Amino acid sequence: MGANEEGTLAQLKSIRTALVEPAIAAHRGHIVKTTGDGMLVEFASAVDAVRGAVEFQRSMAEQNTAVPQDQRIEFRIGIHVGDIIFDDNDIFGDGVNIAARLEGIAEPGGICISDDAYRQVRGKVEIACDDMGQQSLRNIAEPMRAWRVRLTGHGTSAVKSGLAMSQPQVLPPPDKPSIAVLPFQNMSGDPEQEYFADGMAEDIITALSRFKALFVIARNSSFTYKGRAVDVKQAGRELGVRYVLEGSVRKAANRVRITGQLVDAATGAHLWADRFDGGLGDIFDLQDQVTESVVGAIAPAVEKAEIERAKRKPTASLDAYALYLRGLARFYQFGNRQANDEALRLFNSAIELDPEFASAYGRAAFCYVIAKINGWIPDTANSITEVKRLTQRAVELGKDDAIALAASGNALAFVVRDLGVGAGLVDRALVLNSNLAEAWNFGGWIKIWLGEPETAIERFARAMRLSPVDPWLMAMRAGTANAHFFVGRYDEAASWAVMALQCSPDYLPGLRISAASNAMAGRPEQAHEAVARLRELSPTRLSNLKDVHGPFRRAEDVARYEEGLRKAGLPE
């Protein structure tokens, strides 16, 4: 208004006529009054109100894409459900006041709804919401819980390189029965037991994923919902599954209670619910009961032999298993050196208690992979010897343990540079468990090193579909970038590199492939930016690149990679 009052007013009237009024009318709303640049609208249904608001904000966002930032008109919307008083063609009451205050805390172009409104629309409107927690609203006595409507996932989002990539929010379910196991709630009141609840959910995921008749979302994607109020319908849409399992673990003294319920993500109907009580010494039997009941509820035709396989216990030692779970909790922090060192220590402690714990050997070996990726260990004989020892034991003890085989295969390929054996172990893991996202990810990288980039792209795509919101997504995307790079598709490689760095801006393999692909695509500015950040994080030079990049079998791949990095400005 300060720059152009008449033009702004004309634009505002045009928006009301073209977008606001049609959206309100289409969803049976009634404009009570206008208030300068705002308006008060009443709907008979919260569902109608939210749908109308979403339609309008998305239309505004689309219209604004071609408008310079300083000339855009953006609206905030607040929605509440409550009693109102009609008087002289106006409405009054706390319900109106709260809606107005919610509008005030909404983001420009956003929608903020009260908890009362959220309960009315949950599962009925195709949207996702983020919990904003308790909000203190001006002139409202008690703090109120509020929700932010997520409007992303439609259209395209610009990425730093100037390329664009569509990122759909909703995934269609696969043809076969599909399930996501959400993190179990720790009801013990003891934060130290959080790892125990996490481990229970992870074990059920692992057991279910052995069934080839099921499509199982990987642990890392399911666990992005940890600590959040989750609408199972929303989770089902975001993960692309038909069924969602949620539950809780309550531990007291030497007893444990596990509850679980299976929900149809399309309808919200509860298909199965049960409670399991037992002593800590019977924890694996309880896990078997939960797993068997879930599978029986969603895939009754699964053969008995497959059910018996799902009951297989990772170790007979509960203490070793507890150490292993603690190690996993640290292991999944990835780029943190202290966490990786602690994870290795915990896995080794688990091995000391149970020398036949195959998965612990495999995970310990993989800690060396993380260390090598980040340049924390040189290519020394000691680390190679230790990885050989760990992987040999993992394979000896876990001939049918897909996690142990996949982790060992990747460690042998990357640290020991034994591509042939490493590739064979990952392929064996995929035969045992075709739902193991990390095995598809590892297999993709190995195919790159073997000089088979097109096959690598297929493997990364499978990994990302099985675990679409995985914390390791940056590795899957960076791997896809590498694969496109080695077949000469530099623009696509640069685009995937940008997406990898969106997940983790300081991911070293992502920075390296971003630098090389942008340089080869003729974008020196982006290439130099990536190299500058890479050099800030790690003293990388072309001469020591072999210590951190993969064991490429083809000399032409090494030459192409080094050419890109040299063009990007990486010193010799």
Side-chain angles (χ1 to χ4, degrees):
M1 290 292 280
N4 183 353
E5 290 183 358
E6 291 184 2
T8 301
L9 183 59
Q11 188 182 354
L12 185 60
K13 287 182 177 179
S14 173
I15 289 170
R16 284 178 177 166
T17 302
L19 298 179
V20 180
E21 293 170 2
I24 291 170
H27 295 279
R28 297 173 291 280
H30 164 62
I31 300 175
V32 177
K33 62 181 178 183
T34 58
T35 55
D37 61 351
M39 62 177 58
L40 178 61
V41 186
E42 179 255 340
F43 292 82
S45 157
V47 170
D48 283 337
V50 171
R51 283 178 174 159
V54 169
E55 178 183 314
F56 166 66
Q57 291 289 42
R58 286 178 177 161
S59 297
M60 278 299 302
E62 184 176 341
Q63 177 172 298
N64 276 332
T65 55
V67 179
Q69 184 68 44
D70 62 345
Q71 296 178 29
R72 292 179 184 177
I73 290 181
E74 293 178 308
F75 292 83
R76 296 188 300 263
I77 298 178
I79 300 175
H80 179 55
V81 175
D83 291 333
I84 53 176
I85 300 168
F86 288 88
D87 184 55
D88 195 21
N89 296 321
D90 203 350
I91 59 176
F92 304 90
D94 275 350
V96 177
N97 295 338
I98 290 170
R101 300 297 178 247
L102 291 169
E103 178 267 324
I105 66 172
E107 299 171 345
I111 303 168
C112 181
I113 68 177
S114 67
D115 196 44
D116 290 336
Y118 176 72
R119 285 196 295 269
Q120 294 290 325
V121 304
R122 182 175 54 195
K124 300 175 185 175
V125 181
E126 298 293 318
I127 59 167
C129 293
D130 296 320
D131 190 351
M132 298 172 68
Q134 297 291 326
Q135 298 287 321
S136 295
L137 305 177
R138 187 165 62 88
N139 295 333
I140 304 299
E142 298 292 330
M144 295 190 63
R145 189 179 186 184
W147 297 79
R148 179 187 297 107
V149 176
R150 198 185 305 162
L151 296 169
T152 56
H154 295 262
T156 61
S157 58
V159 294
K160 187 174 180 182
S161 70
L163 306 171
M165 185 66 66
S166 173
Q167 297 194 11
Q169 184 69 33
V170 178
L171 291 170
D175 293 334
K176 60 183 179 179
S178 51
I179 183 170
V181 181
L182 299 184
F184 277 32
Q185 276 189 288
N186 171 27
M187 306 293 288
S188 303
D190 178 7
E192 284 295 312
Q193 299 305 326
E194 197 73 28
Y195 77 94
F196 190 87
D198 290 352
M200 178 52 61
E202 179 161 353
D203 281 351
I204 293 171
I205 291 171
T206 300
L208 287 172
S209 67
R210 291 196 181 102
F211 290 81
K212 295 181 181 179
L214 292 178
F215 184 97
V216 184
I217 292 294
R219 176 257 190 220
N220 288 347
S221 280
S222 295
F223 269 56
T224 61
Y225 293 86
K226 183 175 171 62
R228 293 164 48 186
V230 179
D231 176 355
V232 294
K233 288 186 178 181
Q234 172 191 329
R237 289 191 297 269
E238 291 177 350
L239 296 172
V241 294
R242 299 178 195 173
Y243 306 101
V244 173
L245 177 71
E246 54 184 5
S248 65
V249 174
R250 186 186 298 275
K251 223 173 127 181
N254 292 320
R255 302 289 295 173
V256 62
R257 169 173 291 178
I258 305 165
T259 62
Q261 54 186 9
L262 183 68
V263 182
D264 184 325
T267 65
H270 286 67
L271 304 177
W272 163 90
D274 211 340
R275 185 182 77 193
F276 307 90
D277 293 308
L280 284 177
D282 302 321
I283 190 67
F284 297 122
D285 291 335
L286 291 174
Q287 177 200 322
D288 293 345
Q289 292 176 39
V290 176
T291 304
E292 187 170 0
S293 295
V294 172
V295 173
I298 65 174
V302 175
E303 296 178 356
K304 187 175 183 299
E306 291 292 318
I307 292 176
E308 291 301 318
R309 270 184 78 191
K311 291 181 179 180
R312 195 171 286 122
K313 301 171 179 56
T315 172
S317 168
L318 187 62
D319 290 337
Y321 187 54
L323 288 167
Y324 175 75
L325 295 181
R326 289 182 185 274
L328 281 180
R330 301 294 280 165
F331 174 80
Y332 284 122
Q333 294 179 32
F334 305 123
N336 183 314
R337 183 170 187 172
Q338 183 179 354
N340 194 60
D341 290 344
E342 177 69 3
L344 179 59
R345 186 189 68 78
L346 287 164
F347 291 142
N348 282 328
S349 296
I351 290 167
E352 288 177 10
L353 287 179
D354 182 1
E356 298 187 353
F357 195 167
S359 293
Y361 284 100
R363 295 294 194 194
F366 195 76
C367 287
Y368 285 89
V369 174
I370 295 175
K372 189 173 181 62
I373 287 172
N374 288 281
W376 299 332
I377 58 169
D379 196 6
T380 64
N382 288 340
S383 60
I384 291 174
T385 300
E386 182 62 6
V387 169
K388 284 182 177 179
R389 183 188 72 83
L390 290 167
T391 54
Q392 181 180 349
R393 289 295 289 155
V395 173
E396 288 173 353
L397 297 166
K399 291 182 173 61
D400 55 1
D401 185 329
I403 291 174
L405 294 173
S408 297
N410 196 47
L412 281 171
F414 187 67
V415 180
V416 181
R417 310 291 170 136
D418 192 338
L419 273 176
V421 174
L425 290 176
V426 172
D427 287 345
R428 195 198 309 175
L430 289 171
V431 170
L432 288 168
N433 186 351
S434 61
N435 286 318
L436 190 59
E438 63 183 293
W440 288 106
N441 178 33
F442 298 158
W445 281 101
I446 289 176
K447 288 298 182 183
I448 287 174
W449 300 329
L450 287 170
E452 302 174 36
E454 296 290 4
T455 304
I457 290 171
E458 295 173 4
R459 292 197 167 195
F460 289 126
R462 181 68 182 270
M464 288 184 280
R465 179 60 187 92
L466 281 169
S467 193
V469 287
D470 199 308
W472 266 118
L473 194 59
M474 74 278 190
M476 301 172 190
R477 288 175 169 178
T480 306
N482 273 270
H484 283 295
F485 178 86
F486 289 117
V487 290
R489 293 191 288 263
Y490 302 126
D491 283 334
E492 288 184 67
S495 179
W496 280 100
V498 168
M499 290 191 291
L501 293 172
Q502 285 174 339
C503 298
S504 180
D506 292 338
Y507 182 54
L508 298 182
L511 288 168
R512 287 194 287 268
I513 192 60
S514 176
S517 56
N518 275 297
M520 298 293 275
R523 286 189 289 272
E525 183 178 346
Q526 289 91 334
H528 293 154
E529 285 180 9
V531 164
R533 184 57 182 157
L534 181 64
R535 295 278 292 160
E536 285 178 25
L537 297 168
S538 174
T540 306
R541 309 180 73 89
L542 282 170
S543 57
N544 62 15
L545 198 60
K546 64 180 180 61
D547 293 335
V548 292
H549 74 38
F552 295 105
R553 175 167 286 180
R554 300 190 307 186
E556 60 266 34
D557 289 340
V558 177
R560 187 195 299 251
Y561 193 40
E562 292 182 348
E563 178 188 357
L565 289 170
R566 188 175 286 109
K567 283 185 175 181
L570 191 68
E572 296 289 339

